[in-house]
Amino acid sequence: MELKDHQEWLVAFYKKRDWYKFSPEIRMNFLTEEVGELARAIRTFEIGRDHPGEKKKTQEEMFDNLKEELADVIDQALVLCAKYDLEPSKILHFSENKLIKRFKDQ
């Protein structure tokens, strides 16, 4: 699946659920929440969690959770791109060009 196709599907899904209405400022709060969940998933996968209220997870369950949270972070970024009418592939090219220029002498 192409990134743009997923973004279009995602925006339609969010609109259907009435989630797309939130402003970019509020959407940033959702992104921050998802980054925190991703941090916890990575920590759990890499060093584990010792919490009495949580069921111990298998390596596969921990890795699936890491993928889920990373996907949630990407989805929030894609919704922000849509809010600002930015094409994801152009953002990726922007990133590459920025890094090439920044490190051109290295």
Side-chain angles (χ1 to χ4, degrees), residues 91-106:
I91 295 298
L92 298 177
H93 289 293
F94 185 88
S95 172
E96 288 177 18
N97 289 334
K98 174 191 73 173
L99 291 172
I100 289 168
K101 287 178 186 175
R102 184 177 293 167
F103 295 98
K104 68 180 178 224
D105 296 330
Q106 295 181 353

Side-chain angles (χ1 to χ4, degrees), residues 63-81:
F63 194 62
D64 284 347
N65 184 243
L66 188 152
K67 291 186 292 186
E68 176 185 342
E69 299 306 340
L70 186 56
D72 289 347
V73 168
I74 291 168
D75 284 351
Q76 291 303 318
L78 289 173
V79 171
L80 280 169
C81 284

Side-chain angles (χ1 to χ4, degrees), residues 1 8 13 15 21 23 39 43 45 67 73 78-79 95 101 104:
M1 175 182 287
E8 290 172 1
F13 181 84
K15 285 180 178 179
K21 66 184 177 187
S23 70
R43 174 187 165 210
F45 184 77
K67 291 186 292 186
V73 168
L78 289 173
V79 171
S95 172
K101 287 178 186 175
K104 68 180 178 224

